[in-house]
Amino acid sequence: MNIDISISIDKDVCIGAGQCALAAPGVFTQDDDGISELLPGRENAAGDPMLREAARACPVGAITVSDA
């Protein structure tokens, strides 16, 4: 079963804590300024078991994961 999801990062809210990249390193990384971003090709990372945990781990709630 293929599940479509939407992942968004509010870069204006992100403080660069890096919790998302620690929780789901196969989905998230940080740019040179420490701001979170999706790894290329991971826009629909529904298969990653840590995706939603990474969003919950964000201390400022900058990551939103929703069913598309």
Side-chain angles (χ1 to χ4, degrees):
M1 180 170 75
N2 189 9
I3 300 171
D4 287 330
I5 59 165
S6 172
I7 306 167
S8 63
I9 302 169
D10 188 335
K11 293 180 182 289
D12 292 329
V13 173
C14 179
I15 61 171
Q19 296 303 305
C20 58
L22 288 172
V27 179
F28 298 99
T29 189
Q30 291 176 282
D31 66 15
D32 291 340
D33 295 322
I35 302 301
S36 295
E37 58 186 17
L38 290 172
L39 287 169
R42 298 300 290 171
E43 293 78 14
N44 184 350
D48 193 300
M50 293 301 291
L51 173 62
R52 292 185 192 276
E53 180 56 34
R56 280 192 291 274
C58 179
V60 294
I63 300 171
T64 303
V65 178
S66 57
D67 296 324

